[in-house]
Amino acid sequence: MTALKKTGVKYATDEPMSKHCSFRAGGPADVLAMPGDEEEIAAVAALAQNYDLPLTVLGSCTNVLVKDRGIRGVTLKIGGGPTKVLILENGMYCQAGLPLSAAAQKAAASGLAGLEFLYGIPGSVGGGVCMNAGAYGGEIKDFIVEVDSLDLAGKRSARPAAELAFGYRASAFLSGGEIITGARLRLAAGESEQIKAKMEEFLRKRQAAQPLEMPSAGSAFKRPPDNFAGKLIEQAGLCGLAVGGARVSEKHAGFIVNAAGASAADILRLMEQVAARVYKTFGVPLEPEIRIIGE
């Protein structure tokens, strides 16, 4: 990739995505580019378009399962890249690569309330906006004023939240064609110590209820209407069910964990078995919350 080398962007070829994804599973990316700023993001997108290569955009790879044959073309990993924060009069501006927990910490340190629910959620601001990250009754869409993005030709846009089709674990960005580069958030003034105390309370709840010590991609399935996926999975007697190295967590049935060197195929087969059993038992379809990509 001589052309990519000339851009100065950090990259690797034939890179195992198991090294980058929280599931610790997944095949290789033909080219994995890790840009450090918005200009490098634009350069990678332009290169992929000029060479007619597929472009896959990822955040921190914490809500992703890459299939075992990997990802063709160019994979753009933004999480951990552009991470600048600007404190504004009534909120903050975060670049897309900033970890969600870091955004919550920065807000708290600046006496800005609202993002406490993000503390402890793995992932980046860009990924959180794309998937409308949420927990404990909060969703990131409720605080977004405007999102900056690039199209695949490098054209910049800034669009208000009302134009971004936010829904449950969804936004207009899921359809592809745009790369989130940053978001402006409106937050309320608060007392830093009270905000930090609430963040720590949420973190304790996560640690008590979720298998954070095991490789996973968070909740495997979206919440069905008027129900909870984990509750249905547990009631179907599926805690501990395993396929290869993948297992339904006994701590939180909504999580599938990589317990012993699971392949992506193991995880997918287990998800299929869980969804089939829940549907057979309760007549409730389960839809994956994890983004499944690759070959």
Side-chain angles (χ1 to χ4, degrees):
M1 291 294 293
T2 303
L4 185 55
K5 190 172 184 178
K6 289 179 179 178
T7 67
V9 177
K10 182 181 177 183
Y11 74 95
T13 58
D14 200 29
E15 178 73 359
M17 291 305 294
S18 58
K19 293 169 56 177
H20 299 271
C21 293
S22 60
F23 244 139
R24 296 294 177 256
D30 287 348
V31 177
L32 178 66
M34 294 161 279
D37 56 33
E38 187 173 327
E39 287 68 31
E40 291 188 349
I41 293 172
V44 174
L47 185 147
Q49 186 172 65
N50 291 342
Y51 284 86
D52 197 25
L53 295 171
L55 179 66
T56 301
V57 181
L58 299 176
S60 295
C61 305
T62 57
N63 191 42
V64 172
L65 177 62
V66 178
K67 294 181 181 179
D68 291 316
R69 289 181 56 196
I71 310 172
R72 306 289 72 82
V74 177
T75 301
L76 184 61
K77 183 176 182 286
I78 294 175
T83 58
K84 292 180 181 178
V85 179
L86 294 175
I87 300 301
L88 308 174
E89 184 177 349
N90 61 345
M92 60 195 293
Y93 181 86
C94 303
Q95 287 190 307
L98 185 74
L100 291 169
S101 283
Q105 288 176 313
K106 185 68 175 178
S110 303
L112 295 171
L115 301 185
E116 294 89 335
F117 70 96
L118 293 178
Y119 191 55
I121 296 180
S124 62
V125 168
V129 171
C130 183
M131 294 294 295
N132 185 24
Y136 302 115
E139 290 182 306
I140 199 167
K141 72 174 179 63
D142 297 328
F143 303 93
I144 290 175
V145 176
E146 190 174 69
V147 176
D148 290 344
S149 65
L150 296 170
D151 67 17
L152 302 188
K155 181 181 177 182
R156 289 171 169 80
S157 297
R159 288 192 286 160
E163 296 181 5
L164 299 177
F166 282 114
Y168 175 60
R169 302 298 177 266
S171 76
F173 296 104
L174 278 178
S175 61
E178 291 180 87
I179 304 167
I180 296 168
T181 58
R184 184 158 64 91
L185 309 173
R186 180 181 291 111
L187 303 171
E191 204 282 316
S192 288
E193 292 308 312
Q194 292 180 0
I195 297 168
K196 291 176 183 177
K198 191 173 182 180
M199 287 164 53
E200 292 298 330
E201 179 185 354
F202 284 149
L203 183 59
R204 285 193 295 272
K205 287 182 179 180
R206 284 195 174 90
Q207 291 171 333
Q210 299 175 5
L212 303 181
E213 71 283 359
M214 301 286 287
S216 78
S219 297
F221 299 97
K222 293 181 180 179
R223 185 178 66 241
D226 303 318
N227 218 316
F228 295 94
K231 178 182 175 183
L232 294 171
I233 294 166
E234 183 176 355
Q235 290 177 343
L238 299 177
C239 288
L241 179 69
V243 172
R247 189 174 76 227
V248 176
S249 171
E250 294 92 344
K251 190 173 185 179
H252 189 313
F255 283 60
I256 288 177
V257 298
N258 186 343
S263 66
D266 291 339
I267 295 166
L268 286 170
R269 283 197 295 269
L270 181 56
M271 290 179 68
E272 290 168 0
Q273 289 185 19
V274 167
R277 185 83 67 86
V278 166
Y279 188 75
K280 182 178 180 180
T281 305
F282 301 107
V284 178
L286 293 182
E287 181 182 349
E289 182 168 323
I290 298 166
R291 183 183 171 197
I292 300 166
I293 61 174
E295 297 181 347

